Amino acid sequence: MSTPLKVGAVVITMGNRPDDLRALIDSVAKQEGDPVEVVVVGQGTPVTGVPDWVRTVDLPENVGIPAGRNVGIEAFGPGGTDVDVLLFLDDDGLLAHADTAELVRQAFTADPRLGIISFRIADPETGETQRRHVPRLRASDPMRSSRVTTFLGGANAVRTKVFAEVGGLPDEFFYAHEETDLAWRALDADWMIDYRSDMVLLHPTTAPSRHASYHFNVARNRVWLARRNLPAPLVPVYLGVWLLLTLARRPSLPALKAWFGGFREGWATPCGPRRPMRWRTVWRLTRLGRPPVV
């Protein structure tokens, strides 16, 4: 029998949901199989009120979601290599079932090319899964598991070999689209991504626009995402499609101003290293149901 995969978990927090954080940690502690080691990263706040077995990292300031998660990755050794798999969980989430870690181990063991698993997010009161939480264009049935082209940032599992091969999350994004940036790099390196409806994180229904910088960051980071990852001919196509989609949604005037401000910023500022994906990967994304133009 092979040795079970070693699983760790990374949680970032701003210290404003201590009861939720403790409940999440308790749900991780209840997982079947070998214990899951947990690292909690405090974003500009000391981490308090967690069990003694939980490791903590206190950052002097809020460095953003991707950079905070990267700190958590490195707490498990370079590129997270002290473990085989890392769970990334929102601090106000809760693992619904005690077998999630075991299901993760089984999935990664059964498929050596599976690199990332996106969990299903469900509201704890209604059981509803928001359409935006199903990482594919055909999202009407959240109970259908499938191969996908991206994943959900606060409810996922990543094989640490992916980080060793393609690097971590893009620090400079701060918030928005950092998951797709990693997903595209992983797919270009021939890893696969699954959406699994049976791996559930309970999380209150929210609107993404609750973040003050949402519209700005979404636009800026989408430009960075394209500049970093797409073949040159697809960059204007991808951004043109998203410009039209944004206008079709008829955002408020302040939201539209913030969006265009972010769009300009995305072109005017460095986006990090450019590594355009292969055309073979473009075709692969298309076959998976989401060509990289939408």
Side-chain angles (χ1 to χ4, degrees):
M1 295 180 62
S2 60
T3 303
L5 297 180
K6 189 173 182 181
V7 179
V10 172
V11 182
I12 58 175
T13 183
M14 296 183 67
N16 55 346
R17 295 186 282 238
D19 293 339
D20 291 337
L21 174 61
R22 183 58 187 257
L24 169 65
I25 292 170
D26 288 346
S27 75
V28 175
K30 293 174 183 176
Q31 291 300 299
E32 298 166 359
D34 293 340
V36 177
E37 185 179 350
V38 177
V39 167
V40 178
V41 179
Q43 295 267 46
T45 183
V47 179
T48 59
V50 298
D52 292 341
W53 58 270
V54 173
R55 287 194 290 150
T56 63
V57 181
D58 296 335
L59 300 179
E61 61 181 343
N62 180 4
V63 296
I65 292 173
R69 288 184 175 140
N70 283 338
V71 169
I73 294 168
E74 294 302 310
F76 286 94
T81 49
D82 290 350
V83 294
D84 302 298
V85 176
L86 280 174
L87 311 180
F88 294 88
L89 307 170
D90 276 350
D91 68 342
D92 56 344
L94 187 74
L95 290 175
H97 309 298
D99 64 349
T100 301
E102 278 294 282
L103 290 174
V104 166
R105 291 186 183 99
Q106 292 169 16
F108 282 122
T109 300
D111 186 351
R113 292 313 302 171
L114 179 60
I116 302 171
I117 300 173
S118 189
F119 299 170
R120 180 167 65 90
I121 294 179
D123 184 271
E125 300 294 330
T126 66
E128 176 190 1
T129 296
Q130 292 179 272
R131 186 180 182 89
R132 70 185 182 89
H133 284 154
V134 182
R136 57 178 179 243
L137 290 179
R138 297 179 179 177
S140 59
D141 182 7
M143 300 307 294
R144 179 173 67 88
S145 300
S146 69
R147 295 283 199 200
V148 290
T149 62
T150 188
F151 63 99
L152 307 173
N156 67 79
V158 182
R159 194 190 296 265
T160 53
K161 287 182 180 178
V162 173
F163 299 127
E165 190 166 343
V166 306
L169 296 156
D171 286 355
E172 57 269 37
F173 278 41
F174 197 85
Y175 162 77
H177 303 317
E178 66 271 9
E179 302 92 356
T180 300
D181 186 88
L182 176 61
W184 283 0
R185 286 182 281 127
L187 288 163
D188 197 48
D190 294 324
W191 293 100
M192 299 302 294
I193 306 171
D194 278 357
Y195 167 73
R196 288 282 298 264
S197 64
D198 57 337
M199 302 179 188
V200 182
L201 184 83
L202 299 178
H203 188 283
T205 298
T206 58
S209 54
R210 71 190 184 279
H211 298 285
S213 60
Y214 170 76
H215 297 286
F216 180 92
N217 280 26
V218 161
R220 181 198 63 188
N221 293 2
R222 199 174 290 284
V223 176
W224 282 353
L225 179 69
R227 290 174 58 198
R228 286 164 60 96
N229 295 288
L230 289 181
L234 292 186
V235 173
V237 179
Y238 175 80
L239 295 176
V241 166
W242 277 102
L243 172 60
L244 293 175
L245 286 172
T246 299
L247 295 175
R249 291 168 178 169
R250 302 179 68 180
S252 67
L253 184 59
L256 195 59
K257 287 182 177 179
W259 193 94
F260 275 108
F263 194 81
R264 288 191 297 269
E265 183 81 4
W267 286 107
T269 54
C271 63
R274 173 167 165 76
R275 299 188 182 96
M277 68 178 66
R278 299 167 293 173
W279 285 104
R280 185 174 76 178
T281 305
V282 173
W283 174 238
R284 188 176 176 199
L285 288 162
T286 303
R287 286 190 292 110
L288 287 169
R290 188 150 198 165
V293 294
V294 64

